[in-house]
Amino acid sequence: MGDLIQRWRAAARGAGAPDTAELTAAGDRLLARWREPHRHYHTVGHLSAVLDVVDRYADHAGHPDLVRLAAWCHDAVYDPRAPGDTNERDSAALAGTLLTEVGLPSAAVAEVRRLVLLTAGHTVAAGDRDGALLCDADLAILAAPPPEYDRYAARIRREYAHVPDPAFRAGRTRVLTALLALPTRYRLPEPARHWEHRARANLTRELVILRG
């Protein structure tokens, strides 16, 4: 995981944090959260995938290092038993505490918190380039080839293994319906052009299965 820690350190330094031993320790603390045993999709693999998309489209953002830090923090708190947007709010709070401790400027901390909160509903205001990049990266899995998408859906089900099938189908249906109701799943030009159709097809296909 050394490469991931180097990516964390580079993003934090680029956003204005001093290069200290505490910075590495903070990255290690975040990675420990991403490795929690109850996670099956929201793992280090998801973190890496989101960071890769952010890096690929970084030129579209106003502050790409802040988007990278938000990617690190956006699922840092993940409890499948938590209601509503509790995980996103708790992740934003953790980001505020951790990034303040490593010396990130207060304005940058506030922006990372704002970005993390966007991942609760993935609704992004027009002109919010940083929010668009983070949300597009977080939802990139929706446009995966069908076999990969199906593995993603199965891992989500494993994270909710404590939920009986009828309740899971109802809850998952609400999530997918909300995603389909977004004006668009992707805001950046290239993802919108190449991913939108596949994402809608995957979401619709899963809904048919859930309702069947």
Side-chain angles (χ1 to χ4, degrees):
M1 295 299 173
D3 177 61
L4 270 176
I5 289 297
Q6 290 308 312
R7 293 172 80 173
W8 157 259
R9 286 170 54 84
R13 293 195 308 267
D19 190 1
T20 63
E22 288 76 11
L23 188 59
T24 298
D28 288 336
R29 285 166 57 193
L30 284 172
L31 277 181
R33 288 180 169 274
W34 286 94
R35 296 188 186 113
E36 291 166 337
H38 66 273
R39 297 172 182 250
H40 300 284
Y41 171 70
H42 294 88
T43 63
V44 171
H46 173 57
L47 169 62
S48 298
V50 171
L51 289 171
D52 287 346
V53 175
V54 172
D55 286 350
R56 180 176 177 183
Y57 297 108
D59 288 348
H60 291 270
H63 307 91
D65 282 321
L66 296 182
V67 180
R68 293 181 178 103
L69 294 180
W72 272 89
C73 296
H74 82 287
D75 283 323
V77 178
Y78 184 72
D79 177 4
R81 298 176 185 269
D85 63 352
T86 300
N87 285 324
E88 289 83 4
R89 289 188 286 106
D90 288 350
S91 292
L94 176 65
T97 299
L98 185 147
L99 294 173
T100 298
E101 288 176 353
V102 301
L104 198 72
S106 59
V109 173
E111 175 64 0
V112 172
R113 285 175 52 91
R114 183 190 73 84
L115 290 170
V116 170
L117 290 171
L118 288 179
T119 63
H122 299 94
T123 299
V124 180
D128 183 1
R129 294 189 295 160
D130 293 344
L133 177 56
L134 178 64
C135 288
D136 282 14
D138 192 32
L139 296 182
I141 185 62
L142 302 183
E148 184 180 348
Y149 180 92
D150 291 346
R151 287 191 292 272
Y152 145 73
R155 288 166 182 159
I156 294 293
R157 183 65 183 102
R158 288 181 67 192
E159 290 181 339
Y160 286 86
H162 60 283
V163 179
D165 278 342
F168 176 80
R169 286 197 300 271
R172 182 68 175 165
T173 294
R174 287 193 295 272
V175 170
L176 301 184
T177 300
L179 288 169
L180 281 168
L182 290 170
T184 178
R185 268 55 40 207
Y186 307 106
R187 295 89 181 162
L188 302 181
E190 187 174 340
R193 186 164 56 251
H194 295 291
W195 297 353
E196 181 66 23
H197 175 75
R198 291 189 308 206
R200 289 188 62 85
N202 279 328
L203 292 167
T204 302
R205 183 169 56 86
E206 186 183 356
L207 269 177
V208 169
I209 295 170
L210 289 168
R211 291 167 172 165

